[in-house]
Amino acid sequence: MSTNLKINPERLWSTLMETAQYGATPKGGVRRLTLSDEDKMVRDWFKTTCEAAGLAVSVDAIGNMFATRPGTDPSAPAIAFGSHLDTQPAGGKFDGILGVLAGLEAMRTLNEAGYETTHPLTLVNWTNEEGARFAPAMMCSGVYAGDLDMATMLAGTDRDGKSFGEELERIGYKGPETVGERRFKAFVELHIEQGPILEAEEKTIGVVTGGQGIVWLDGVITGRDSHAGTTPMPMRRDAMNALAEVALAIEAVALEFGPAGVGTLGEALVLPGSRNTIPGTTTFKADFRHPDAEALTAMEAAFTARCREIADGRKVEIDVTRIWRKDPIAFNSTIVEAVEAAAAANALPARRMISGAGHDAFYISGTCPTGMIFVPCWEGVSHNEEESATEADCGAGAQVLLDALLRLDAN
Ligand code: HGY
Ligand code: MN
Ligand code: MN
Ligand code: MN
């Protein structure tokens, strides 16, 4: 089916550049940590802009935002699409927000054409997809899906000791809607690939068939603070040097389970933090991923066993706690096929692939038929202020999104 409705890539691009001002960093990136003042600013912009487009905006009790365009059949379940507006501490202009603004562009295109869909259409901003300030990632799509406990998430704190619940209230986005009360006919998320495959293969569209599993581990290494000048090397219980071995263990385990397995130590603390005191305490936050659930379990086991060896060898204690695991997911074939058909109808070079990055669509796939669309980003770089994509590719992704939604509406 073809409606010949064409999105406006220039308008999408200018909206992307307009919203990049919220949390803009001197190096051209974006810092819009969840529930920060910058997040509030872009949320306020999103609400005002959606209402100006005639969409009814609702917010649930954990800050998820839903902007709905009515269909001719109000009893029909809504077709949903969107992504997230929060970013990494040193993030880019496209991660998350492209999926939200492409959805807005689809709504604007339908409005201009006076086109009425049968199903209501709902554009979503999921709260705290990044998990950079409050763990875990994909938090509020996870609560919406019933996989993460809301009270536990609200009680979580950031490194300054502020709780998620307090910050949600502070920015005014603890909404009246019961979390999870609305369910959708389908959900489609457009996102930059955040990896190198599409660009390397000169493909415009990634037809995403699933996503790899993720496990997050928090660690505390306890040795003994002592004097840097008087403590002989053999007597030291140096938590920093143990941390160095832990970092290399993460890399070694990832390589052992490679090429699909990956492991990262992205955050660490060294205490008390003085050049002439041997660190008695270090903490770390680790991220392991693998497309296979059993391999992911084996990676975690191999790493924790290695930590025990390091602890024994250095006379320190290493406590490792799993704080989050999201198993690998497969997207719904109907949605995958709708995305693939939409790419073909636009004569766009496309390929099927799984997602290396986590996305809200992972949790939503447990509540309704779900799929994703990828577009390339420069050198596959993301979670980086230099993240970039082209106007043409963002426009192509938005066009595929609109056409996929219209295909789903016709069935
Ligand atoms: O961590 C992830 O994969 C996502 O970008 N939050
Ligand atoms: Mn993202
Ligand atoms: Mn991200
Ligand atoms: Mn996402």
PDB file of all heavy atoms in Angstrom, residues 83-84 129 189 191 358-361, ligand 4:
ATOM      1  N   SER A  83      11.009   7.100  21.394  1.00  0.00           N
ATOM      2  CA  SER A  83      12.298   6.670  21.949  1.00  0.00           C
ATOM      3  C   SER A  83      12.526   7.451  23.244  1.00  0.00           C
ATOM      4  O   SER A  83      11.610   7.502  24.068  1.00  0.00           O
ATOM      5  CB  SER A  83      13.405   6.930  20.918  1.00  0.00           C
ATOM      6  OG  SER A  83      14.615   6.357  21.314  1.00  0.00           O
ATOM      7  N   HIS A  84      13.684   8.110  23.393  1.00  0.00           N
ATOM      8  CA  HIS A  84      13.973   8.791  24.671  1.00  0.00           C
ATOM      9  C   HIS A  84      14.637  10.141  24.433  1.00  0.00           C
ATOM     10  O   HIS A  84      15.308  10.338  23.419  1.00  0.00           O
ATOM     11  CB  HIS A  84      14.878   7.910  25.546  1.00  0.00           C
ATOM     12  CG  HIS A  84      16.213   7.601  24.930  1.00  0.00           C
ATOM     13  ND1 HIS A  84      17.352   8.343  25.170  1.00  0.00           N
ATOM     14  CD2 HIS A  84      16.583   6.618  24.065  1.00  0.00           C
ATOM     15  CE1 HIS A  84      18.369   7.824  24.490  1.00  0.00           C
ATOM     16  NE2 HIS A  84      17.939   6.781  23.802  1.00  0.00           N
ATOM     17  N   GLU A 129      16.182   6.331  29.619  1.00  0.00           N
ATOM     18  CA  GLU A 129      16.640   5.184  28.827  1.00  0.00           C
ATOM     19  C   GLU A 129      18.131   4.949  29.089  1.00  0.00           C
ATOM     20  O   GLU A 129      18.619   3.831  29.081  1.00  0.00           O
ATOM     21  CB  GLU A 129      16.410   5.454  27.343  1.00  0.00           C
ATOM     22  CG  GLU A 129      16.637   4.257  26.444  1.00  0.00           C
ATOM     23  CD  GLU A 129      18.097   4.054  26.078  1.00  0.00           C
ATOM     24  OE1 GLU A 129      18.890   4.979  26.302  1.00  0.00           O
ATOM     25  OE2 GLU A 129      18.442   2.966  25.609  1.00  0.00           O
ATOM     26  N   GLU A 189      10.483   1.739  17.048  1.00  0.00           N
ATOM     27  CA  GLU A 189      11.457   2.745  17.489  1.00  0.00           C
ATOM     28  C   GLU A 189      12.496   2.960  16.399  1.00  0.00           C
ATOM     29  O   GLU A 189      13.136   2.001  15.932  1.00  0.00           O
ATOM     30  CB  GLU A 189      12.141   2.299  18.784  1.00  0.00           C
ATOM     31  CG  GLU A 189      13.184   3.294  19.306  1.00  0.00           C
ATOM     32  CD  GLU A 189      13.715   2.969  20.702  1.00  0.00           C
ATOM     33  OE1 GLU A 189      13.303   1.953  21.300  1.00  0.00           O
ATOM     34  OE2 GLU A 189      14.554   3.748  21.196  1.00  0.00           O
ATOM     35  N   HIS A 191      16.134   4.637  15.555  1.00  0.00           N
ATOM     36  CA  HIS A 191      17.317   5.004  16.338  1.00  0.00           C
ATOM     37  C   HIS A 191      18.548   4.984  15.442  1.00  0.00           C
ATOM     38  O   HIS A 191      18.590   4.248  14.451  1.00  0.00           O
ATOM     39  CB  HIS A 191      17.500   4.000  17.491  1.00  0.00           C
ATOM     40  CG  HIS A 191      18.217   4.542  18.683  1.00  0.00           C
ATOM     41  ND1 HIS A 191      19.558   4.800  18.699  1.00  0.00           N
ATOM     42  CD2 HIS A 191      17.761   4.905  19.911  1.00  0.00           C
ATOM     43  CE1 HIS A 191      19.907   5.274  19.879  1.00  0.00           C
ATOM     44  NE2 HIS A 191      18.843   5.353  20.638  1.00  0.00           N
ATOM     45  N   GLY A 358      21.290  -1.186  23.858  1.00  0.00           N
ATOM     46  CA  GLY A 358      19.980  -1.428  24.471  1.00  0.00           C
ATOM     47  C   GLY A 358      19.030  -0.323  24.059  1.00  0.00           C
ATOM     48  O   GLY A 358      19.450   0.800  23.769  1.00  0.00           O
ATOM     49  N   HIS A 359      17.751  -0.647  24.011  1.00  0.00           N
ATOM     50  CA  HIS A 359      16.730   0.354  23.642  1.00  0.00           C
ATOM     51  C   HIS A 359      15.440   0.098  24.404  1.00  0.00           C
ATOM     52  O   HIS A 359      15.170  -1.048  24.821  1.00  0.00           O
ATOM     53  CB  HIS A 359      16.450   0.292  22.137  1.00  0.00           C
ATOM     54  CG  HIS A 359      17.640   0.647  21.311  1.00  0.00           C
ATOM     55  ND1 HIS A 359      18.107   1.934  21.193  1.00  0.00           N
ATOM     56  CD2 HIS A 359      18.494  -0.126  20.599  1.00  0.00           C
ATOM     57  CE1 HIS A 359      19.179   1.937  20.423  1.00  0.00           C
ATOM     58  NE2 HIS A 359      19.447   0.717  20.067  1.00  0.00           N
ATOM     59  N   ASP A 360      14.608   1.130  24.515  1.00  0.00           N
ATOM     60  CA  ASP A 360      13.320   0.942  25.185  1.00  0.00           C
ATOM     61  C   ASP A 360      12.486  -0.137  24.516  1.00  0.00           C
ATOM     62  O   ASP A 360      11.717  -0.853  25.166  1.00  0.00           O
ATOM     63  CB  ASP A 360      12.562   2.277  25.211  1.00  0.00           C
ATOM     64  CG  ASP A 360      13.305   3.318  26.033  1.00  0.00           C
ATOM     65  OD1 ASP A 360      13.586   3.036  27.228  1.00  0.00           O
ATOM     66  OD2 ASP A 360      13.632   4.389  25.501  1.00  0.00           O
ATOM     67  N   ALA A 361      12.687  -0.257  23.196  1.00  0.00           N
ATOM     68  CA  ALA A 361      11.924  -1.275  22.455  1.00  0.00           C
ATOM     69  C   ALA A 361      12.162  -2.678  23.023  1.00  0.00           C
ATOM     70  O   ALA A 361      11.312  -3.569  22.868  1.00  0.00           O
ATOM     71  CB  ALA A 361      12.309  -1.233  20.985  1.00  0.00           C
TER      72      ALA A 361
HETATM   73 MN    MN B   4      16.374   3.554  23.140  1.00  0.00          MN
END
